[in-house]
Structures are given as C-alpha cells and as structure tokens.
Amino acid sequence: MSDHPARADHATPDTSSAAQFNRHAAKYAASEVHRHGPSLPALLAAADPHAGDVALDVATGTGNTALALAPHVAHVTGLDVAEGMLAHARDRAAQEGVPNATFVVGSAEAIPFPDGSFTLVTSRHAPHHFRDLPRFLAEARRVLKPGGRLVIADQISPAPDLQAWIDAYQRRRDPSHHAQRTVPAWQALAREAGLRWAAETLVPYRLEFAWWTAQSGSTQGTVQALREMVATLTPPQQAAIGAEFDAAGQLSAHVDQMMVARLERD
C-alpha cells in the first residue's frame, strides 16, 4: 500500500492500456530499451532528485524509472493501470532490496493522491498512451507541492504534418497508442495547465523494426501493413522518421525522437 491516502473520486483506469500491457508485461520487464534506454539518464539529470524528494512515477510500468529514482529520494511511488506490470516492479524491488519504493494501481488522468503530495512527478515513455493529456498535466500539477517539478520523457512527432500518419502507424502496431505530439504542442499544453516549461532535450532512439513489432505482439499481417504504410511516405518524410531499409528494400528500423522535458510548478 502507498503511504499516501487515496482520493475518493479516482477514475476507472483505461482498460485498453491495462489489457495491452498486462498481456506483454514480461516483454517490457526484460526490455533493455525500457530498463536502460538513453532517456533514463536524461530524465534523471533533468529531475535532479535529492534526498528530501517524495516522488511519483506515473505509468511506471515495470518500475524502471521509479527504481532508478529510489536511491536518490526519500520515497517513490510507482503508479500504473496494469497490475501485471506492477507485479514485475514489486518483484524487482524486493529482489534488489529497495525499501523506499511502493507500487499502486491508478490512472494518470485521475491520480489517487491528495493535493501537494509530491515534490517530483515523472512519466517516461507513457504520455502518448494517455487519452486525456491535459487532464494528466492538471493532475500532475495538483499533486505537486509549490516549487515541485514534473519531468516527462516521451516520443514526439517531428513535424505537425506527420502527426496524423505517425499516430496511425503507432496505433496499428499498438492499439493503446493515443497521440504523439510535437514539442510546441507540448509547450502549449503545459502553459494551459499552469506549468512553467523550464527546459527540454531530444534523445534519439533507433528501434529495430523486428524487435519493435515483436514487443507489442504484432501479427505477420500487422508487420506487413506497417511496412506498406512506410512505403507510402515520400523520401523526405521517411528521412524525418529515420526509416532504414535493408538490401532487399525492406524496412529494418526507424528512429523515435524522445523528448525529455522539465516543467515546474510555481
């Protein structure tokens, strides 16, 4: 159980995301991309955690970010809609002897903690799944103490004219994907939520196509459909997503640009 009392009005978690990630929890637990990918040190640097912090990691999955924060903070809570993912996080915390991390079920759009519970909120590789990003940002601000910070690591769209295509491409592979925004779109939403945009950096993730599709349990039909979608792009658009092709002209990899941003509550 968390050390913080739950809100009485928390919403029902998104069942589509919970089902997708419960189904593939073991793959995410074993994924080096998620456990040790380059956005993690960038997020830790932006968060600048310290011994007095009480931290919340939203959509914690198998606990990679929460467990990376744990040695630097007083306490960290990992929140996720998928109990199957949290089971891996709890097992890993027990195996690694991490006493100051707890993991609870809950939704990013209705965070089940009182106002001002945390000095640091993080969310890594997850907000593109959130159905209501403005609500998440408002909730993150609500549970932050004045002067607290929110640090996000999430994949972005390289340009507004590619966002609809990228969302269709990502959703074909993983139906729980919702929206992958540009940096300016993120900045506008942060302002509307009353959060100050302090800094951002981009971290490229080169993803092997075979690994990327296997990670989500894609069928052969889905794999072929994804290849055909990339084939419809112009060469400049293919370059914008970092598409790579093998000697036979088959899609072999693409690049997700991961934004790591620090937002602050006044």
Side-chain angles (χ1 to χ4, degrees):
M1 292 294 292
S2 168
D3 293 336
H4 306 275
R7 289 176 64 203
D9 61 341
H10 65 277
T12 301
D14 176 12
T15 55
S16 65
S17 289
Q20 172 72 7
F21 291 106
N22 279 328
R23 199 159 45 240
H24 301 292
K27 294 178 185 175
Y28 282 93
S31 168
E32 289 299 307
V33 168
H34 291 82
R35 184 174 288 208
H36 300 300
S39 71
L40 184 54
L43 181 148
L44 292 174
D48 190 23
H50 54 77
D53 273 323
V54 179
L56 172 69
D57 185 43
V58 177
T60 196
T62 57
N64 296 314
T65 302
L67 294 172
L69 285 168
H72 308 288
V73 301
H75 187 271
V76 59
T77 300
L79 183 76
D80 203 276
V81 296
E83 178 60 49
M85 300 283 270
L86 293 174
H88 285 279
R90 295 185 189 107
D91 286 348
R92 185 176 161 199
Q95 291 166 7
E96 296 179 8
V98 181
N100 64 331
T102 56
F103 297 93
V104 298
V105 174
S107 168
E109 289 95 341
I111 296 173
F113 300 104
D115 298 0
S117 294
F118 304 97
T119 59
L120 172 64
V121 175
T122 59
S123 189
R124 176 172 172 257
H125 298 192
H128 60 279
H129 294 287
F130 299 165
R131 298 295 188 232
D132 190 342
L133 185 59
R135 178 70 184 271
F136 160 66
L137 291 172
E139 281 289 274
R141 185 185 185 281
R142 180 185 65 77
V143 300
L144 277 171
K145 296 179 184 295
R149 61 261 191 231
L150 167 64
V151 182
I152 299 292
D154 201 36
Q155 60 207 55
I156 60 158
S157 173
D161 64 328
L162 274 174
Q163 183 176 333
W165 182 91
I166 283 177
D167 285 340
Y169 180 66
Q170 294 279 357
R171 201 173 296 123
R172 187 64 183 260
R173 176 244 183 192
D174 176 358
S176 71
H177 176 94
H178 184 61
Q180 190 163 313
R181 295 164 174 84
T182 63
V183 172
W186 265 100
Q187 291 171 330
L189 289 171
R191 285 194 300 271
E192 291 167 8
L195 292 162
R196 184 169 67 84
W197 193 273
E200 90 277 346
T201 188
L202 296 182
V203 181
Y205 268 64
R206 181 184 177 277
L207 300 174
E208 294 283 350
F209 182 72
W211 173 87
W212 183 69
T213 51
Q215 186 74 9
S216 62
S218 296
T219 65
Q220 283 301 310
T222 297
V223 168
Q224 183 57 32
L226 291 166
R227 292 187 189 278
E228 290 171 357
M229 289 182 72
V230 173
T232 68
L233 296 176
T234 65
Q237 289 172 330
Q238 290 176 347
I241 68 164
E244 298 177 18
F245 302 90
D246 61 22
Q250 291 288 306
L251 179 66
S252 58
H254 73 264
V255 174
D256 273 343
Q257 290 291 343
M258 201 71 61
M259 175 196 74
V260 179
R262 173 171 166 142
L263 292 67
E264 297 172 349
R265 178 181 177 181
D266 293 329

